[in-house]
């Protein structure tokens, strides 16, 4: 079970550890006041990676090989140089993801504006995955909450590291079966109510807010879409909308149980133009029967009024499937040791939380 929780926030990277007295903040934050946009602990060698977005000073990328005691800066992913007035430039590293267990050193980065980058040397250099960037369908991608589309979800199939699945807002779901050399449109079955009716089912313009797969049963993929909660039974190629999701089918985050394909958690909000908890009461929802029914989990979570919103990378489950953590944009951090049946608050005074990770 993971005994270390990493919390990437608007103002630095915080760490909590679990000891005899429970969970405690472990020392001062790294990168104090630096906006963390992505964080990853590499399960293959324990190295930690952090991406920051310093605004005026641009994006930064760092790696630690001593459990966060010291950090070394490396170049960020970069788009090809161009004098074109509309040439793409890195705005944000939105997600970092390790390659497969048989691919030591391989790291993926999903960015805004909609680029996938690959590093074969633990982040010391990057290359744009041109095969995806050159797809003609990318012309139909567009920004949702940001001006540009962005890649926020990267799943490497535990059975076959050549199989990569992406979630793009707003560009749908994509598969590669040859480690990024070629790509196929996936994510069929989504319905985007914000599009004209004749385009609502177009898979290239969908807004999956986040996708997550069961590690031990990778064909089971869950999606928190802008317009509902979805489940896939074929690895993300096709999705089915799940109805009667209390208290709302809107949200950004989803966590998939690593061993039980029928179990997943969501962090609901009212709707797109009202991003607060339903009736002001913050809850986590859970299904344990593949989405046929949902439980509303609130033991230890705040009652109304609450204005907490959970972003895509701030609802996580550890490798056991029992320990969860979630953090909100209002700086609240909660942890559960029993699959969400009850929660304890670790902090109410953190900066806005963007991303969490166990190790």
């Amino acid at each position: 079970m993971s005994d270390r929780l990493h919390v990437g926030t608007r103002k630095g990277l915080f760490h909590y550890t679990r000891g005899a007295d429970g969970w405690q903040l472990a020392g001062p934050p790294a990168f104090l006041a630096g906006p963390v946009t992505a964080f990853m602990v590499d399960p293959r060698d324990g190295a930690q990676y952090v991406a920051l977005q310093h605004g005026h000073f641009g994006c930064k990328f760092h790696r630690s090989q001593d459990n966060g005691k010291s950090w070394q800066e490396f170049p960020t992913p970069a788009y090809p140089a161009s004098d074109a007035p509309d040439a793409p430039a890195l705005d944000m590293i939105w997600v970092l993801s390790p390659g497969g267990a048989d691919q030591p050193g391989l790291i993926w980065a999903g960015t805004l504006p909609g680029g996938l980058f690959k590093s074969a040397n633990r982040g010391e250099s990057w290359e744009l995955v041109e095969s995806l960037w050159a797809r003609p369908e990318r012309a139909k991608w567009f920004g949702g909450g940001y001006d540009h589309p962005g890649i926020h979800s990267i799943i490497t199939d535990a059975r076959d590291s050549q199989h990569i699945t992406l979630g793009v807002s707003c560009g749908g779901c994509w598969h590669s079966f040859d480690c990024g050399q070629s790509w196929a449109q996936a994510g069929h079955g989504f319905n985007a109510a914000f599009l004209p009716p004749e385009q609502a089912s177009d898979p290239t313009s969908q807004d999956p807010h986040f996708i997550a797969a069961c590690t031990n049963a990778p064909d089971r993929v869950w999606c928190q879409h802008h317009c509902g909660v979805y489940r896939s039974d074929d690895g993300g190629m096709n999705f089915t909308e799940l109805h009667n999701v209390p208290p709302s089918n809107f949200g950004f985050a989803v966590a998939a149980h690593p061993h039980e394909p029928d179990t997943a958690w969501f962090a609901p909000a009212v709707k797109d133009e009202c991003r607060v908890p339903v009736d002001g009461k913050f809850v986590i929802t859970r299904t344990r029967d593949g989405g046929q029914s949902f439980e509303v989990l609130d033991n230890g979570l705040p009652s109304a009024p609450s204005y907490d919103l959970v972003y895509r990378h701030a609802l996580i489950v550890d490798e056991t499937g029992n320990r969860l953590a979630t953090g909100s944009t209002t700086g609240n951090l909660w942890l559960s040791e029993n699959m969400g049946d009850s929660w304890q608050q670790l902090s109410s005074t953190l900066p806005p939380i963007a991303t969490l990770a166990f190790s």
Side-chain angles (χ1 to χ4, degrees), residues 104-289:
L106 192 152
I107 298 171
W108 300 98
T111 74
L112 275 85
L116 178 67
F117 288 83
K118 179 179 181 180
S119 172
N121 51 17
R122 308 175 74 224
E124 295 179 18
S125 63
W126 298 91
E127 61 176 302
L128 176 65
V129 178
E130 297 276 2
S131 54
L132 180 66
W133 189 250
R135 291 288 304 200
E137 298 92 336
R138 196 175 61 78
K140 299 174 70 174
W141 296 8
F142 59 92
Y146 293 100
D147 291 340
H148 300 287
I151 297 174
H152 50 63
S153 301
I154 303 173
I155 300 171
T156 298
D157 193 323
R159 301 165 300 188
D160 176 10
S161 60
Q162 300 293 302
H163 178 202
I164 311 299
T165 303
L166 305 181
V168 188
S169 289
C170 301
C173 185
W174 290 80
H175 277 317
S176 174
F177 296 95
D178 52 16
C179 204
Q181 296 183 58
S182 63
W183 295 89
Q185 181 77 67
H188 300 278
F190 289 142
N191 187 72
F194 53 81
L195 292 173
E198 66 275 15
Q199 301 176 22
S201 60
D202 182 349
T204 63
S205 299
Q206 298 295 320
D207 187 8
H209 280 177
F210 195 69
I211 58 173
C214 176
T215 304
N216 284 4
D219 285 337
R220 174 58 57 82
V221 179
W222 298 92
C223 176
Q224 174 63 70
H225 187 278
H226 187 91
C227 299
V229 171
Y230 286 80
R231 188 195 74 211
S232 171
D233 299 326
D234 58 5
M237 183 60 72
N238 297 282
F239 282 87
T240 300
E241 185 174 5
L242 305 174
H243 300 283
N244 301 317
V245 182
S248 166
N249 65 356
F250 180 83
F252 290 93
V254 51
H257 195 290
H259 312 300
E260 299 177 8
D262 284 348
T263 299
W265 298 263
F266 301 83
V270 176
K271 55 183 178 178
D272 48 359
E273 69 269 32
C274 187
R275 301 179 179 191
V276 298
V278 177
D279 296 327
K281 181 176 174 58
F282 180 73
V283 301
I284 297 295
T285 54
R286 177 181 66 192
T287 179
R288 301 198 67 178
D289 55 11

Side-chain angles (χ1 to χ4, degrees), residues 314-338:
L315 173 63
I316 60 170
V317 58
D318 80 348
E319 72 278 7
T320 69
N322 295 319
R323 181 168 288 164
L324 291 97
T326 188
S328 76
T329 57
T330 42
N332 285 303
L333 177 65
W334 297 277
L335 188 134
S336 172
E337 307 273 10
N338 52 16

